[in-house]
Amino acid sequence: MNVIYPLAVPKGRRLCCEVCEAPAERVCAACTVTYYCGVVHQKADWDSIHEKICQLLIPLRTSMPFYNSEEERQHGLQQLQQRQYLIEFCYTIAQKYLFEGKHEDAVPAALQSLRFRVKLYGLSSVELVPAYLLLAEASLGLGRIVQAEEYLFQAQWTVLKSTDCSNATHSLLHRNLGLLYIAKKNYEEARYHLANDIYFASCAFGTEDIRTSGGYFHLANIFYDLKKLDLADTLYTKVSEIWHAYLNNHYQVLSQAHIQQMDLLGKLFENDTGLDEAQEAEAIRILTSILNIRESTSDKAPQKTIFVLKILVMFYYLMMNSSKAQEYGMRALSLAKEQQLDVHEQSTIQELLSLISTEDHPIT
């Protein structure tokens, strides 16, 4: 990281910090096109997203000499494709941080996604809404409710002005509004927005889709906090069933291939589940949260605890993390024996463990 020398800056050009937009005093030595107000924001940006995209920013932020219109057109097309890629990449990284509870780390990545969206679509486009929502959720996680409300107001206003806002975007907006009102302990308003989240997500993806499950999960958490345990239990069960159906589909294909001794691992494990890094992190957060709740009452309903444990076994098996898959499998088997469940349940878990132990999966 190099210090900026004022005399080296072209007259009239204002260099701003990548994170807070304050006057910049330092420049990234690796790319020389990214500026910071000081060491703290440089480190925050580097740890969050800049290390991953540093070299990709050079062609986007460097003026290139053109000799004819065809070269200019090709360069413009390359920049467009690069920005489209970086929008989704930064968005996914920020989402992953949020699902992992790393709210501070999510902010620079979300800001980058917003910055690229503004450059590509303009300040009033509905395409900016997903980035606003990431920043709102990060702000909530950091306890900055007023700041979260500002981002959400901007997102709502943008949606209201738009004539082509998708159901998926409406779903995300209502989910984040639901989270805001949960943070403010206004559970009635939170339930209203989460119900709308589920409605729009169902329109976009279907009622049994993993992308709809988040709304059910947050709604269940509200009922759980309000001690309405029967309603919470029903929704936690629904979420578990959605993830079980999704993962079991992929697991059955793989286990069948194993039985037939077909070498499909290279093909299947190339993002076979269709989950990106953020969705993986979301699955871990949702399923482990439900597991913790189930385990606190496993003496009353051990089958429900075992059901979630088996989902986690499939999840980690498909993610090629045999160690974690075996850990959850052994916990499921131990509980089944302890509760003296029927032999069929125990043999099902044994089959899972046998399949895992015979696969030479690297631990991720």
Side-chain angles (χ1 to χ4, degrees), residues 135-294:
L135 289 163
E137 189 171 348
S139 299
L140 283 175
L142 294 168
R144 302 168 186 167
I145 292 180
V146 173
Q147 189 177 53
E149 286 180 310
E150 290 174 0
Y151 283 126
L152 285 169
F153 173 78
Q154 189 65 47
Q156 276 186 295
W157 179 241
T158 305
V159 168
L160 283 171
K161 291 188 298 180
S162 172
T163 57
D164 60 349
C165 186
S166 68
N167 286 323
T169 300
H170 277 293
S171 166
L172 286 175
L173 175 59
H174 282 290
R175 184 169 303 179
N176 278 269
L177 286 166
L179 293 175
L180 170 68
Y181 286 108
I182 288 173
K184 297 173 77 170
K185 306 297 184 184
N186 186 340
Y187 293 123
E188 184 176 347
E189 197 69 22
R191 289 202 302 270
Y192 166 78
H193 285 293
L194 290 173
N196 275 284
D197 163 27
I198 293 167
Y199 169 75
F200 284 112
S202 298
C203 291
F205 313 114
T207 56
E208 308 299 316
D209 193 277
I210 56 171
R211 289 164 291 188
T212 308
S213 69
Y216 293 123
F217 173 69
H218 292 301
L219 196 56
N221 288 340
I222 291 176
F223 288 126
Y224 187 80
D225 289 342
L226 293 173
K227 308 300 181 186
K228 297 182 178 181
L229 301 185
D230 288 345
L231 288 171
D233 178 74
T234 299
L235 289 168
Y236 285 135
T237 297
K238 185 169 185 63
V239 174
S240 301
E241 288 172 346
I242 288 172
W243 277 99
H244 178 270
Y246 180 86
L247 293 169
N248 188 55
N249 179 54
H250 297 279
Y251 170 77
Q252 291 300 331
V253 172
L254 185 59
S255 60
Q256 189 62 36
H258 177 266
I259 292 168
Q260 297 173 2
Q261 297 182 334
M262 293 169 59
D263 185 18
L264 296 179
L265 295 182
K267 177 183 176 184
L268 285 170
F269 280 127
E270 199 170 300
N271 197 27
D272 174 59
T273 60
L275 299 175
D276 59 30
E277 287 185 75
Q279 289 171 318
E280 288 175 28
E282 181 183 26
I284 292 169
R285 186 184 72 164
I286 286 176
L287 293 172
T288 53
S289 295
I290 294 175
L291 177 62
N292 290 336
I293 290 168
R294 293 305 192 205

Side-chain angles (χ1 to χ4, degrees), residues 6-212:
L7 291 176
V9 180
K11 188 176 181 180
R13 186 182 177 194
R14 181 173 177 265
L15 302 179
C16 300
C17 175
E18 191 82 349
V19 176
C20 68
E21 297 190 350
E25 298 180 1
R26 304 177 74 83
V27 60
C28 174
C31 68
T32 69
V33 294
T34 308
Y35 304 93
Y36 301 98
C37 62
V39 176
V40 173
H41 280 178
Q42 173 268 323
K43 186 177 187 306
D45 192 40
W46 181 264
D47 292 344
S48 170
I49 192 67
H50 190 69
E51 181 183 14
K52 301 174 181 67
I53 65 173
C54 180
Q55 296 303 300
L56 297 177
L57 297 175
I58 297 173
L60 293 178
R61 296 178 175 177
T62 305
S63 297
M64 302 290 288
F66 299 113
Y67 301 102
N68 58 59
S69 59
E70 179 57 24
E71 282 190 45
E72 185 173 2
R73 191 186 71 79
Q74 287 296 328
H75 180 68
L77 181 61
Q78 289 172 1
Q79 284 201 331
L80 174 65
Q81 293 170 338
Q82 191 77 293
R83 285 196 175 94
Q84 288 172 330
Y85 166 76
L86 287 170
I87 282 171
E88 295 307 318
F89 180 76
C90 295
Y91 181 83
T92 299
I93 294 298
Q95 265 196 323
K96 179 174 181 283
Y97 284 137
L98 290 176
F99 288 132
E100 291 174 343
K102 300 175 181 177
H103 302 99
E104 197 79 59
D105 289 338
V107 174
L111 284 171
Q112 280 289 7
S113 181
L114 178 61
R115 193 173 289 117
F116 289 125
R117 288 168 190 268
V118 170
K119 192 77 174 177
L120 195 59
Y121 301 111
L123 279 168
S124 60
S125 172
V126 74
E127 295 292 339
L128 275 57
V129 171
Y132 287 138
L133 297 179
L134 286 178
L135 289 163
E137 189 171 348
S139 299
L140 283 175
L142 294 168
R144 302 168 186 167
I145 292 180
V146 173
Q147 189 177 53
E149 286 180 310
E150 290 174 0
Y151 283 126
L152 285 169
F153 173 78
Q154 189 65 47
Q156 276 186 295
W157 179 241
T158 305
V159 168
L160 283 171
K161 291 188 298 180
S162 172
T163 57
D164 60 349
C165 186
S166 68
N167 286 323
T169 300
H170 277 293
S171 166
L172 286 175
L173 175 59
H174 282 290
R175 184 169 303 179
N176 278 269
L177 286 166
L179 293 175
L180 170 68
Y181 286 108
I182 288 173
K184 297 173 77 170
K185 306 297 184 184
N186 186 340
Y187 293 123
E188 184 176 347
E189 197 69 22
R191 289 202 302 270
Y192 166 78
H193 285 293
L194 290 173
N196 275 284
D197 163 27
I198 293 167
Y199 169 75
F200 284 112
S202 298
C203 291
F205 313 114
T207 56
E208 308 299 316
D209 193 277
I210 56 171
R211 289 164 291 188
T212 308

Side-chain angles (χ1 to χ4, degrees), residues 295-308:
E295 285 188 323
S296 67
T297 57
S298 62
D299 57 323
K300 299 175 183 176
Q303 285 279 15
K304 292 179 180 179
T305 303
I306 291 171
F307 184 59
V308 181

